[in-house]
Amino acid sequence: MNYACHLLVYLSIYTIVAQSLNLVVGYCGLISLCHAGYFAIGSYAYAIASKAGYGFVTASALGVSVGLILSLAVSLPAWMFKGDFFLLISLAVQIAIADVISNWVYPTAEPGTLRNLTNGPYGIAAIPRPHWLGHRADTMVSMAILALATAGLCMLITFLLVRSPWGRLLKCIRDDELASRGLGKPVRYTKLQAFAVSCGMAALAGSLYASYVGYIDPSSASLDNSLLMLSMVLVGGTGNFQGPVVGAATLLAFPEILRLLHIPAAAAANLRLMAYGLLLILLVHLRPQGIAGERQA
Amino acid sequence: MNYACHLLVYLSIYTIVAQSLNLVVGYCGLISLCHAGYFAIGSYAYAIASKAGYGFVTASALGVSVGLILSLAVSLPAWMFKGDFFLLISLAVQIAIADVISNWVYPTAEPGTLRNLTNGPYGIAAIPRPHWLGHRADTMVSMAILALATAGLCMLITFLLVRSPWGRLLKCIRDDELASRGLGKPVRYTKLQAFAVSCGMAALAGSLYASYVGYIDPSSASLDNSLLMLSMVLVGGTGNFQGPVVGAATLLAFPEILRLLHIPAAAAANLRLMAYGLLLILLVHLRPQGIAGERQA
Amino acid sequence: MQLEQEILRSDIDRTTGARNRLAVRLRSLRKTFGGQEVLKDVNADIARGEVVLLRGQNGAGKTTLLNILTGNLAPDAGTVEFSTNGAALAFSFPPPIWSRITPWGRFSPETLSRHGIGRTWQDTRLFKTQSLSDNIAVASPRLIGEIPHVAVANPLRVRREEKQLQTVVARVLDKLGLGEVASSPADSVSLAKTKLVAIARALQAGAEVLCLDEPLAGLDSTDVGSVLGVLRQLAETSVFTLVIVEHDFNIPRILDLVTTVWTLDKGRLKIEKPADIKAWFHAPCVEELPRWARLVIGDVDVITVPLGSGAVLHRVRSKRRANITDAPVLEVEDLVVHRGYRSVACNGRDEALRGMSFELQRGDLGIIEAPNGWGKTALLETIAGVTTAKEGSLKLLGLPLNGQSPWNRRRSGITLLQARDSSFSSLTVRDSLHLAGVAYVQDDLRALASRSVSSLSGGEKQRLAFTCACDGQSYDLALLDEPFTGLDDKSISGICKRLSAHLGNAAALVAVPSLA
Amino acid sequence: MQLEQEILRSDIDRTTGARNRLAVRLRSLRKTFGGQEVLKDVNADIARGEVVLLRGQNGAGKTTLLNILTGNLAPDAGTVEFSTNGAALAFSFPPPIWSRITPWGRFSPETLSRHGIGRTWQDTRLFKTQSLSDNIAVASPRLIGEIPHVAVANPLRVRREEKQLQTVVARVLDKLGLGEVASSPADSVSLAKTKLVAIARALQAGAEVLCLDEPLAGLDSTDVGSVLGVLRQLAETSVFTLVIVEHDFNIPRILDLVTTVWTLDKGRLKIEKPADIKAWFHAPCVEELPRWARLVIGDVDVITVPLGSGAVLHRVRSKRRANITDAPVLEVEDLVVHRGYRSVACNGRDEALRGMSFELQRGDLGIIEAPNGWGKTALLETIAGVTTAKEGSLKLLGLPLNGQSPWNRRRSGITLLQARDSSFSSLTVRDSLHLAGVAYVQDDLRALASRSVSSLSGGEKQRLAFTCACDGQSYDLALLDEPFTGLDDKSISGICKRLSAHLGNAAALVAVPSLA
């Protein structure tokens, strides 16, 4: 039961992540490598706020706001850069976020203060379980329900967004930016919005993660994590609603299966990496219409 | 004098690196993020061989051969993938190489044996200074001369290659692969050759580095290093002969200037990263013809 | 809906007389690309409801100008002003500092599109993953569903709006005959259909000034019809201002829609009326004039002179001779031509052009294109002396011709090929040639030598007549009245070749019916 | 050099008679895209030296077939065989397992190119950062400088090779008139020049079979000439096998080069001779026939019947009538026409077509297009009874005409408009009309009523003649000999309108010179 709840929480978190990343990859047609960074930003913001005594809603709202504002770091370059170059920019943002998180540390200051915001490589421990309106998610079941509810909310928002004229506009901009501008569409502003929603949701997923695991360190902002998130989107199929959910489930199931097969952790890590690579190559082969293709099998 | 020689050695090494990476970025039109991996492969191969008693020529030839053969890891995907996707693949290769180097370790075995090839995170120390035909490069001056000679050789080879019909063919393939195939050109094979030359040269630079510094660890295979190398090429200007040299000199001079300004190391690292990013964005702005553009200011 | 609204608006405009208001005003536009001045000092106005045809050679800067008109490209210097959407919008270049800094009101496709300047692209640029109806729907301005927080917070309102919109779009598509493929993705329908949707999309975005980049390019002749139909409709509502870039060979198809023709040549814009260029594009025989003229001259240079009452004179000359200024072979000044007692050929209806004046140099091929009854034949006969000129002067090689008899004129170097029956039917071919003093007879005629002229076919007669007129004595000026009438292609090229040989040291004046 | 070599080789081939060897052989090709069968069972052969024109509507699969021919696209089924470069190469689809696994001899552009199958692209696809000369140089096969270790180890040898190559390339460019821009990058020269270079590049790569994708697309009429010149040269050496995809409106320009026409329609390939489709594309007046015919008939349906010796009969009828089968108005069977004592109009040169046969129904507009001297006038006169038929039968409304006098035929419903001088010049216009029994006279002629026929202009005469012939008594069959000769557009459309009104219960046969 606990194991099922654990899986459910993880699935919820990564469904949000994949769903939000899909807004950038599938609907804007830009491959981003810095999603783990926003995930980590959300978790750190949540951790600091909740350790300062704020409830789940306030703390995660803070996380979302920070993620939303910092999304400008990628959305402004997206005005100008596409393809290769955007990928490099997002990689730079990723490295910058990871660097800042690892280095915002000062030995004598308390974690969460301005001098030692992230506590650097030591991370922030003992993050309290989420509580709201006097209620506290102490059991695994209540945690799973919270995660599921949050994921449900995010999926509803995403669904409404991508099915709305706004989602159609995003896809049109992806298809032909110049033609969209020629129709008087606020192309740049719309991209900004898409990135803000995407990064905000990633931060929300990070808040959920921090509240569940109770400890965070800079590894959550690692490039590997970004690649994992990207793989979820690509595996599931970009540019549609159900794809990311499928992708998140597939890639979360994979290490669990390896664990059930009793493969040692070190070997499993490498195996996983290779499997991701293979999966990606296979997928690209089978979907020659490219990354942002709408029609998929 | 020693400082000058030190700079000269570094300049030689990174000129080779930038020059070789330019073959892929400028002449094949593919942005690669795994060049540091091949650099590290070369240094490890050299370190192991030279510790086993082989001379500079033999050991570095081994390094080059290994780099050349392993270049297939990127050149085979390059048959199929371009732009975004190739960048992701090269990132995967980069991570795989770094992973293998960090993990090919076994506590009880000697470094350099099959069970503990790279000695993992501890690295390989006490690599002997280069010696050939009974002569040993003990002084800084002789080391600088060796490095300069090697760089000169590499530049000559690159010069002959890029100015030859082979170089022209590469550029034509970059411009229009389908048209090149329609003229009966062995497009895939030519790409293979370009990557082999490029990775082989990176490995040679790695050998030189290992022999000069005397100690290597997995950090030389890091993504940051790959990004630094890529920046050199992009800053200098892709697709021409002198660009990479200029780029290497610029980016090597930067930290030296910071050091002369007495900026603390930690701050300098972040500053450097930001500067690279800024530089890249500026460059892309000023050279809108794109990464593989031939004409440049 | 958009279309219907516009048509309504058009009626209002017409009654209020607002139709002739200026829509676009271009002043001293300059644009340089890589050191090459593509546009130098372009000035033009477009009144509301006008249909402008923008033509020019490949690389003359048509697309550059279109891109400037639609905000896709900023000129180096000059001003661009629009009066659309009931408001004015002006840009001057290079832009002043303050406008470079503020993000609002920039010279960009977005700004111009919101102000009612729309465009289509040559390759249509539809959103390829979207259905045709979504391609049009997305163009609608001010959709509340495109505000993300409204889309999330008030989905029902968005859905209602979308439903209305789709009804409108369905009607537009039905009108275009695309009702059945409304939900097909844009990359799965034919080119002609995408071109129609591209126009509908621009209108849906609220375009009043619509710039069309080669709307007919790449279409089969059957498809051209449907696009042309829509263009015609737009032109006829006369509320839309159209700027159409089109390739030369498609121009005849749209010329009757056009109110103004802009010709870009070497960076300058020439503004003409369609009638002026009509002669170049007479619809049924687009290629005919340049074609046979080129057979005669090779690489040609043309100066076109209007002769009044719908007639034009093309002075065609070899490019090699373009810079040679020679003494004129024929000078015509204020000539008034009569047939019987009626003066024809610009007979006073056009006061400014009471008589006609032109000249021809050696090597010139003059082509008079005029409608039937204009007096082409009479003009040639007047020059040849068969009819006498009542007013004006005629000079051959500087010597006045007035008063000289046809025979004298023949001797001084004018030969005339009459339109029909210039040979004597009772003679044999051989005798006819002999009479005309033809020494060398070409093979094809030699085979006919012993037959009587009356037994020849029409084409054979015409060839004989040409030979008699032009291969007999030497001449300085050949007057040819419809020399190609009834001839097949082979004969035409034969005649052209021979005429070409003669043009080395003579001029020729050819009259053909205008076919525009 | 390449070109020169090829020309040399061509001479050898011609003497050894190897010219007619098969170069390409396609059997049962099929290709499906997204459920739509683009090609179904395509079979064709191309002999060496042939010039194939591949035509078809947009989306008919022209480019698909071209891509299959050049290895850019594998068909779903069928076989493709080449006999070029002195060797044979065959592929069958779907490919056998073993050929899918081995990397050699695959069906790919590389393999086919090395075997002498070259192509050009519609958008030329030159290497844009390279100079024009490098664009050609890089295409050369088997350069030792393209082997990297040779380039490093033996730079002098590579330089020598390169120098030779550049001399050759310079000569090729000079020949194309591109010597001056040889070192300009490919993206800075005009489209026409890139098209020439694209062809030269394919030849340099050793192409024997050259597939050209719309070589004239997007070119101005002046540029078309230069590309056409090169194509003509290639076609004339007759060692190159050309497959040209071209758009309908450019086809007239290349039709005379072509030896075979492939028409793709609904996935099937129809193989024709150029003469068969020539009538559709008579060069100078591409649009003329359909245009005035459409003025008469509206939406037309055409059946084209060859009459031998280069003449064709187009039976044009309204689409609305397409399915109505009526008793024929005119039946012609095995008719041999004479002029004087010579039999004309398919006079036995073509044994299979000794006489001519055709029929016209009510509402049909028959258009005879024939070269000069073919006997168009004689044919019409034979039908009208002015000349007697020596062989064959003629029926009007089922009743035999043979032996009846012209007056009888006129009374039974045949009216003839002769090509020229069908009116009596000494009469006034009013008298002429009266004589012809014309009751209602149109305004334009009424204004001329009191003038004598001889004072009319050519166009006015022609209008009068038409009125006399067709507006007098009623008729079942109108024979019109070059009715539009010398008329301007307005008169043509006037005549067409009147003819159109008559065609309700009559047929018309119009003779015009062929202009292909």
Side-chain angles (χ1 to χ4, degrees), chain C residues 57-58 218-220 247 249 285 287 339 342 371-373 421 451 455 457 482 485-489 491 514 516, chain D residues 57-58 218-220 247 249 253 285 339 342 371-373 421 451 455 457 482 485-489 491 514 516:
Chain C
Q57 294 257 309
N58 278 333
L219 295 184
D220 284 331
H247 224 282
F249 48 72
C285 293
E287 302 282 327
R339 186 166 62 224
R342 297 188 308 139
N372 291 127
D421 310 310
R451 290 181 38 206
S455 77
S457 77
E482 302 189 19
T485 294
L487 292 188
D488 63 9
D489 198 49
S491 313
S514 73
Chain D
Q57 294 258 310
N58 278 334
L219 296 184
D220 282 333
H247 225 282
F249 49 73
R253 305 176 195 254
C285 294
R339 185 166 63 223
R342 299 188 307 139
N372 291 128
D421 310 310
R451 291 184 36 210
S455 77
S457 77
E482 301 190 18
T485 295
L487 293 188
D488 63 9
D489 199 48
S491 313
S514 72

Side-chain angles (χ1 to χ4, degrees), chain C residues 65-87:
Chain C
L65 186 54
L66 203 74
N67 281 339
I68 289 176
L69 268 176
T70 54
N72 291 86
L73 189 74
D76 296 336
T79 60
V80 183
E81 292 169 36
F82 298 96
S83 303
T84 41
N85 256 345

Side-chain angles (χ1 to χ4, degrees), chain D residues 329-350:
Chain D
V329 173
L330 174 71
E331 287 164 277
V332 176
E333 254 176 280
D334 294 324
L335 186 71
V336 178
V337 174
H338 290 253
R339 185 166 63 223
Y341 294 101
R342 299 188 307 139
S343 75
V344 289
C346 151
N347 45 5
R349 265 174 278 170
D350 208 339

Side-chain angles (χ1 to χ4, degrees), chain C residues 160-461:
Chain C
R160 215 157 46 232
E161 182 197 51
E162 187 62 17
K163 213 167 177 179
Q164 280 173 5
L165 183 57
Q166 290 294 352
T167 322
V168 172
V169 169
R171 206 153 58 213
V172 169
L173 282 170
D174 275 343
K175 233 181 250 169
L176 295 174
L178 301 175
E180 284 175 29
V181 287
S183 53
S184 314
D187 59 353
S188 74
V189 300
S190 74
L191 185 64
K193 285 175 186 151
T194 62
K195 295 224 173 196
L196 291 178
V197 172
I199 295 172
R201 187 176 69 169
L203 294 181
Q204 182 71 20
E208 288 183 8
V209 175
L210 185 55
C211 301
L212 300 135
D213 198 356
E214 305 202 10
L216 305 180
L219 295 184
D220 284 331
S221 38
T222 42
D223 293 337
V224 162
S226 55
V227 176
L228 216 51
V230 172
L231 292 185
R232 191 175 303 277
Q233 228 179 309
L234 293 180
E236 279 166 5
T237 61
S238 79
V239 66
F240 297 107
T241 311
L242 305 184
V243 179
I244 307 176
V245 169
E246 212 18 285
H247 224 282
D248 270 8
F249 48 72
N250 278 323
I251 288 180
R253 305 177 195 254
I254 50 168
L255 205 56
D256 59 327
L257 303 179
V258 166
T259 61
T260 311
V261 177
W262 291 358
T263 307
L264 265 176
D265 188 27
K266 296 185 190 101
R268 298 193 184 277
L269 195 67
K270 209 165 87 194
I271 299 171
E272 292 160 302
K273 289 278 128 197
D276 300 337
I277 66 152
K278 221 161 200 166
W280 284 108
F281 295 107
H282 29 75
C285 293
V286 188
E287 302 282 327
E288 186 186 307
L289 168 71
R291 192 172 169 279
W292 68 255
R294 231 178 287 135
L295 277 176
V296 177
I297 301 270
D299 220 3
V300 295
D301 228 18
V302 182
I303 307 161
T304 300
V305 188
L307 295 180
S309 307
V312 288
L313 167 72
H314 304 293
R315 274 180 66 189
V316 184
R317 47 162 58 192
S318 163
K319 278 222 167 121
R320 274 168 298 138
R321 282 174 173 264
N323 299 318
I324 305 171
T325 315
D326 209 354
V329 172
L330 174 71
E331 287 165 279
V332 176
E333 255 177 279
D334 294 326
L335 187 71
V336 178
V337 174
H338 290 253
R339 186 166 62 224
Y341 292 101
R342 297 188 308 139
S343 76
V344 289
C346 151
N347 45 4
R349 263 172 280 170
D350 207 340
E351 280 305 321
L353 284 165
R354 174 70 187 135
M356 72 183 92
S357 306
F358 59 86
E359 56 168 60
L360 292 177
Q361 293 178 11
R362 250 174 240 290
D364 275 7
L365 172 66
I367 302 170
I368 295 176
E369 281 198 332
N372 291 127
W374 179 85
K376 292 183 299 288
T377 304
L379 172 61
L380 295 191
E381 286 179 351
T382 305
I383 297 171
V386 180
T387 313
T388 44
K390 297 268 164 69
E391 290 174 52
S393 83
L394 279 170
K395 282 184 193 170
L396 184 71
L397 295 167
L399 303 171
L401 283 176
N402 301 51
Q404 289 201 33
S405 74
W407 315 113
N408 267 329
R409 296 193 190 191
R410 176 72 194 87
R411 245 173 276 136
S412 43
I414 295 181
T415 184
L416 170 66
L417 168 66
Q418 280 174 302
R420 31 201 101 190
D421 310 310
S422 54
S423 22
F424 308 94
S425 342
S426 55
L427 296 178
T428 61
V429 171
R430 187 183 295 116
D431 292 340
S432 300
L433 291 168
H434 188 74
L435 202 67
V438 177
Y440 171 74
V441 183
Q442 295 216 316
D443 286 349
D444 53 342
L445 281 180
R446 215 179 298 153
L448 305 172
S450 57
R451 290 181 38 206
S452 83
V453 172
S454 56
S455 77
L456 296 180
S457 77
E460 284 161 350
K461 273 187 198 160

Side-chain angles (χ1 to χ4, degrees), chain D residues 9 114 217 289 306 355 374 411 432 456 472 506:
Chain D
R9 237 200 286 167
R114 278 180 220 138
L289 168 70
W374 179 85
R411 244 171 279 137
S432 298
L456 297 180

Side-chain angles (χ1 to χ4, degrees), chain B residues 157 160-161 164-166 168-169 171-176 178-187 193 294-295, chain D residues 72 109-110 113-114 121 125 127-130 134 137-138 140 143 145-146 148 151-152 155 158 162 166 201 205:
Chain B
I157 290 175
L160 288 173
L161 279 177
S164 75
W166 182 80
R168 182 177 59 200
L169 178 58
K171 283 191 269 183
C172 288
I173 292 172
R174 175 196 68 194
D175 281 0
D176 198 326
L178 196 59
S180 310
R181 294 180 65 191
L183 296 173
K185 295 297 168 188
V187 167
Q193 292 171 334
E294 176 114 288
R295 290 143 303 164
Chain D
N72 291 85
E110 295 98 311
S113 168
R114 278 180 220 138
W121 275 267
R125 280 178 167 268
F127 305 117
K128 58 182 188 301
T129 60
Q130 302 295 298
D134 275 344
V138 77
S140 326
L143 289 179
E146 287 184 0
V152 171
V158 170
E162 187 62 18
Q166 290 293 352
R201 187 175 72 169

